[in-house]
Amino acid sequence: MRGSILPFAYSDGALCVDGTPLAETVAGSGTPAYVYSLDAMVSRHQAISDAYAPLGAQVYYSVKANSNLSVLRALGRVAAGFDVVSGGELTRALAAGMDPARISFAGVGKTDDELGLAVKHGLIVHVESAEELHRLQAVAAGLGTRVRFGLRINPGITVDTLVHMQTGSDRAKFGVPAAEAGELLARSAAGHLPNLDPVGVHMHVGSQIPNPADMVAAAEVLLGVLETGRSLGLSRMRRLDLGGGFPVDYGDSPGPLPQPADFAAALAPVLAGREVELVLEPGRWITGPAGVLVARVLFRKQTPAGRMLVLDTGMHHFARPALYQAIHRILPLRAAPSAGFAEVVGPICESTDRISARADLPELAPGDLVAIMDAGAYGMVLASNYNSQPRPPELVVEGGRARVARRRETWQDLMALED
Ligand SMILES: *Cc1c(COP(=O)(O)O)cnc(C)c1O
């Protein structure tokens, strides 16, 4: 089913997911609870595919944004493939039924166990250093088989995004510079990496990319490496994987953000006539706006700075504000006139446990419910058990019906691995 790409909206004063009041959705599970619209995730994935259809792009999904199995099963039905960054994510992708030939494996620190799994399953490995390339050769030779790889290129471009989200500058830990990539491909062409098949180049220059021109500049660097490989006789080098990074409007953007179609339009002239298989691997744009974290007000306080609300969730369940100073909208489940700004904090014994410094909210009392918006990406995947707090359940809505996709952890669960 094709849902709205923005599934959360008020109807008769109630904040709804796909038309059903969120208060009803979480009535059985209690709070806090993550709620995702799977139909919206699928529609958002399709929207990127549609925007890039003129360029013939394959749209993979970056599993790290939200790796719940129900999310992976739903996106696995429409995605061209998955991008994973660990053996754990690979295990999830396979459990969700993804064809391993359509899984790519990125990450700067893969272990021998992880490289072995990748080789056995026939993934595409995105190699991030000369030493990793030689480990991959050794692992594939040890298993007596061949494996496809792409070189992750560090294009040496600083994207104008939050400093924590930059991954493509020449100081970043990711990938190899274009010049070094040329040397590695020459070694491959000379037969020194006999178990490895070079199929292309990869990059991921950062998240929340504000300007399509940054993506284009980096893509030009990658195209240069592709040409180098082909001129060395590596004729299978066709894959141009431009990573993820489409920006989501968290409500703090001064102007309209570029949409996937704007990125596609900016890339079109650069790609015209080039024989490439274009691949993307967005995460945040697909799942972020399709999820919320529903929480309950526990207490109200007054500080010299004004009104404060204490929720039953915080940085342990939703780390982005503490980790990246990210700003998220907080909306009441029952609409009411604004009572001005409130500081919204969680129960964790850390001053960084603040979800919002300034949330515009109505008068709220203990027991009232709020939704932390755009929490479908980098939410539950970053949750921890700090302060021995159980992690919340994940509820998914599909075809208008909600179900528990992952149950709430219990206090007993927290001790299950200890003797
Ligand atoms: C995180 C990541 C992505 C997805 O980034 P978004 O900003 O969520 O789109 C894609 N590719 C790689 C290699 C990543 O590490």
Side-chain angles (χ1 to χ4, degrees):
M1 168 170 171
R2 201 145 175 161
S4 162
I5 67 166
L6 292 173
F8 299 99
Y10 285 98
S11 172
D12 292 333
L15 186 59
C16 294
V17 53
D18 292 335
T20 302
L22 268 171
E24 279 176 31
T25 309
V26 301
S29 67
T31 61
Y34 277 99
V35 179
Y36 312 135
S37 165
L38 295 185
D39 294 333
M41 289 180 180
V42 165
S43 297
R44 296 183 70 84
H45 187 280
Q46 301 287 73
I48 298 177
S49 297
D50 292 351
Y52 272 79
L55 302 179
Q58 301 180 53
V59 182
Y60 280 40
Y61 166 64
S62 174
V63 167
K64 80 173 198 275
N66 185 328
S67 54
N68 180 282
L69 284 174
S70 295
V71 168
L72 296 186
R73 284 188 209 103
L75 287 174
R77 290 194 278 272
V78 290
F82 285 163
D83 183 66
V84 302
V85 295
S86 71
E89 284 190 359
L90 171 56
T91 305
R92 284 179 173 275
L94 295 172
M98 176 52 69
D99 170 5
R102 297 194 281 131
I103 299 176
S104 55
F105 190 178
V108 73
K110 306 180 194 76
T111 64
D112 275 6
D113 283 348
E114 290 177 318
L115 290 174
L117 258 185
V119 171
K120 274 186 216 143
H121 286 287
L123 272 50
I124 295 175
V125 182
H126 286 150
V127 172
E128 304 226 9
S129 64
E131 290 199 349
E132 185 190 345
L133 192 63
H134 293 109
R135 275 319 297 163
L136 184 63
Q137 163 59 32
V139 168
L143 291 166
T145 181
R146 308 180 62 79
V147 66
R148 294 172 297 162
F149 80 93
L151 279 181
R152 178 157 178 182
I153 309 300
N154 182 331
I157 281 168
T158 307
V159 172
D160 183 20
T161 177
L162 293 178
V163 73
H164 303 295
M165 296 191 178
Q166 290 172 358
T167 55
S169 91
D170 58 6
R171 305 259 173 113
K173 68 175 180 175
F174 300 100
V176 296
E180 186 179 350
E183 291 163 23
L184 296 176
L185 292 175
R187 258 184 259 175
S188 179
H192 296 313
L193 302 166
N195 295 74
L196 306 187
D197 292 323
V199 294
V201 287
H202 169 238
M203 72 174 196
H204 172 65
V205 289
S207 276
Q208 294 288 88
I209 299 172
N211 188 347
D214 292 330
M215 175 81 88
V216 174
E220 283 180 316
V221 175
L222 266 69
L223 282 166
V225 178
L226 265 190
E227 294 300 339
T228 302
R230 289 177 190 170
S231 67
L232 291 164
L234 302 171
S235 57
R236 289 187 65 196
M237 297 250 328
R238 299 174 60 89
R239 221 166 174 274
L240 178 70
D241 184 333
L242 299 183
F246 296 127
V248 160
D249 184 358
Y250 287 108
D252 59 338
S253 169
L257 292 170
Q259 295 298 303
D262 300 320
F263 285 88
L267 281 165
V270 189
L271 297 183
R274 315 292 280 258
E275 303 253 303
V276 299
E277 285 166 18
L278 183 61
V279 182
L280 308 171
E281 47 195 38
R284 179 189 313 272
W285 202 90
I286 293 174
T287 56
V292 294
L293 175 57
V294 179
R296 182 177 302 273
V297 175
L298 294 178
F299 302 111
R300 291 172 286 194
K301 296 178 76 163
Q302 280 295 329
T303 75
R307 177 165 69 125
M308 179 183 275
L309 298 169
V310 184
L311 301 184
D312 63 356
T313 193
M315 66 185 287
H316 51 317
H317 298 154
F318 192 61
R320 295 193 74 257
L323 195 57
Y324 307 115
Q325 286 82 52
I327 293 170
H328 281 257
R329 292 174 296 151
I330 302 176
L331 298 180
L333 262 51
R334 170 62 44 199
S338 168
F341 291 112
E343 186 177 352
V344 181
V345 303
I348 297 297
C349 302
E350 296 277 350
S351 349
T352 50
D353 182 23
R354 180 167 79 177
I355 298 287
S356 175
R358 256 167 75 87
D360 188 1
L361 285 166
E363 207 53 65
L364 291 172
D368 286 343
L369 300 181
V370 295
I372 301 164
M373 304 305 291
D374 305 305
Y378 307 107
M380 183 63 171
V381 288
L382 273 166
S384 79
N385 293 120
Y386 188 33
N387 285 194
S388 283
Q389 292 269 10
R391 283 177 292 177
E394 293 174 291
L395 314 182
V396 295
V397 180
E398 204 168 17
R401 264 194 300 281
R403 63 186 166 80
V404 179
R406 178 188 161 105
R407 69 162 171 81
R408 183 185 306 285
E409 287 175 350
T410 65
W411 289 323
Q412 290 304 317
D413 286 336
L414 299 182
M415 297 185 288
L417 303 183
E418 297 169 37
D419 62 14

